[in-house]
Every structure is written in structure tokens, then in C-alpha cells.
């Protein structure tokens, strides 16, 4: 009888430990992929960073591709969570400020984005479609916010919103790269200063 009582508790404990270990492996993989890129990273290196062995890592992830997919999915979930915090009435300044504050608080996010954006240019790279979709989604979000600004009379006349959305996105990507070299750069204030140049 005692065995039947204890078994569910042990199962829950094993599940919790397994999920915790899985999360630690994804954390380690995120760091390594950000530092070295996908091609140069080995599962053994990730296992060492996670404080485990190759066999345990293989129990959770069948391949480097499978682990990489989990890293990208977590990154996508973070983006979805941030977008849900913004309403359809958010200004472009609010969108940019929120994103810059969030990213500046987590260097790994910016480093992962920067590394993968450069490396995934190759069409056969596992993250090629993800990065492309990620960039296009952000451009579209910025364009929608700029259209609201334009309709409200808060942008100078004659500005081409689709072009401006891509230029602003390029500014974000470029500033984040510069910030990796010089963390003293206040990305939020720089981008807000750029937006002020577009006001009437």
C-alpha cells in the first residue's frame, strides 16, 4: 500500500527534475549558440556548460537540430509574450522602448539574435526561415504603429511608412550590435531621439 502511495510522488519528482534539467540544457545551449553560432557548437560543449554529460543530453534531445529548434521556440515565445503586452493602439515609441528595455536586461537575447542573423543568411541554415520571419514580423509591427502615428498627425508629411519601418528596424539591429561592443550605449534613448526627427 505504501508503495502505491509513494509512486505518484516519486513520478512527479522525477518529472520535475527532468523538466528542470531540460531547461538548464536549453539555457546552456542558448548561451553557446549566442557565443559560437550554430555550426561551431557541439552537443558535448553544451552538455559541459549545462553541467551534465552527452548521454543525459541525448536523453532529452535526439540531435543538435532538435535542441536548436527548442532554443528558437523559446525565443519565439518570448516575443509572443512581449507582443501580447502591447495593444493595437501602442505607439512605435512604446514598442521600441519596451523591446530595448527587455533586450538590454538580457545580453544573451541580443547576442543570440545578432549571431544568428549573420550566420543564418545561408538558405540551408536551420534558422534561416525563423530569422527571416522574425525580422518581417517586426517590420510589419513597426509599420502598423507608424501608420497609426501618421493617421494621428504625429509624423512629418510625405514619409514612406514601409520604407521607414525597414529603416527603423535596421536601426534597432545596428544599435544592438553596437551595444554588444559598448554596453554604455543607451539604445532606448538613441532610438527615441531618431523617432523625434520624424515628428512634424
Amino acid at each position: 500500500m505504501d508503495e502505491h502511495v509513494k509512486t505518484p510522488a516519486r513520478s512527479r519528482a522525477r518529472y520535475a527534475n527532468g523538466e528542470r534539467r531540460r531547461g538548464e540544457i536549453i539555457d546552456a545551449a542558448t548561451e553557446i549558440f549566442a557565443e559560437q553560432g550554430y555550426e561551431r557548437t557541439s552537443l558535448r560543449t553544451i552538455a559541459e556548460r549545462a553541467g551534465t554529460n552527452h548521454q543525459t543530453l541525448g536523453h532529452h534531445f535526439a540531435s543538435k537540430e532538435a535542441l536548436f529548434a527548442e532554443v528558437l521556440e523559446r525565443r519565439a515565445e518570448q516575443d509572443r509574450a512581449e507582443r501580447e503586452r502591447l495593444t493595437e493602439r501602442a505607439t512605435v515609441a512604446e514598442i521600441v522602448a519596451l523591446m530595448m528595455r527587455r533586450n538590454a536586461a538580457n545580453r544573451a537575447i541580443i547576442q543570440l539574435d545578432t549571431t544568428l542573423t549573420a550566420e543564418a543568411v545561408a538558405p540551408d541554415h536551420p534558422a534561416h526561415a525563423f530569422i527571416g520571419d522574425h525580422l518581417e514580423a517586426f517590420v510589419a509591427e513597426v509599420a502598423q504603429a507608424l501608420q497609426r502615428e501618421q493617421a494621428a498627425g504625429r509624423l512629418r508629411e510625405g514619409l514612406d511608412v514601409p520604407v521607414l519601418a525597414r529603416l527603423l528596424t535596421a536601426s534597432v539591429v545596428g544599435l544592438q550590435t553596437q551595444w554588444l561592443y559598448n554596453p554604455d550605449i543607451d539604445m532606448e534613448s538613441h532610438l527615441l531621439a531618431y523617432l523625434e526627427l520624424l515628428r512634424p
Side-chain angles (χ1 to χ4, degrees):
M1 183 67 177
D2 286 343
E3 283 299 313
H4 290 296
V5 173
K6 292 177 181 177
T7 296
R10 285 201 297 268
S11 296
R12 286 194 297 272
R14 283 197 298 271
Y15 177 79
N17 289 336
E19 286 299 296
R20 182 169 59 252
R21 172 56 71 187
R22 182 182 176 86
E24 290 168 352
I25 292 171
I26 295 174
D27 287 341
T30 299
E31 293 175 359
I32 297 288
F33 285 135
E35 294 167 6
Q36 300 182 6
Y38 175 81
E39 299 295 342
R40 295 175 55 203
T41 296
S42 70
L43 288 178
R44 194 169 301 281
T45 302
I46 294 171
E48 291 174 358
R49 178 72 64 91
T52 188
N53 55 53
H54 192 276
Q55 184 177 1
T56 299
L57 190 150
H59 172 73
H60 292 282
F61 301 98
S63 64
K64 184 170 79 167
E65 290 82 1
L67 176 52
F68 189 56
E70 287 292 323
V71 169
L72 296 182
E73 178 57 30
R74 179 190 280 187
R75 181 69 184 89
E77 286 177 0
Q78 291 171 332
D79 277 349
R80 284 194 292 267
E82 290 299 333
R83 280 198 290 269
E84 287 173 1
R85 294 175 56 188
L86 296 171
T87 69
E88 293 182 355
R89 292 152 69 175
T91 66
V92 67
E94 289 169 339
I95 292 173
V96 167
L98 177 63
M99 187 183 71
M100 289 295 93
R101 272 188 239 121
R102 181 205 64 180
N103 288 1
N106 189 343
R107 181 183 175 90
I109 290 179
I110 293 181
Q111 190 163 346
L112 180 65
D113 285 353
T114 302
T115 300
L116 293 184
T117 297
E119 187 183 63
V121 169
D124 60 345
H125 191 282
H128 182 78
F130 174 86
I131 296 297
D133 291 345
H134 177 75
L135 287 171
E136 288 303 311
F138 184 63
V139 170
E141 188 174 327
V142 170
Q144 290 174 0
L146 287 170
Q147 286 168 353
R148 292 193 293 270
E149 299 279 288
Q150 191 174 58
R154 291 192 293 268
L155 287 182
R156 290 205 323 266
E157 292 184 6
L159 294 176
D160 187 322
V161 167
V163 170
L164 188 56
R166 290 203 177 274
L167 289 174
L168 185 54
T169 300
S171 297
V172 169
V173 173
L175 269 174
Q176 289 188 151
T177 300
Q178 292 181 52
W179 182 85
L180 289 173
Y181 286 97
N182 181 7
D184 290 333
I185 294 173
D186 187 335
M187 295 183 289
E188 180 183 346
S189 67
H190 278 69
L191 285 168
L192 293 179
Y194 175 70
L195 289 173
E196 280 303 311
L197 299 176
L198 309 177
R199 303 299 183 197

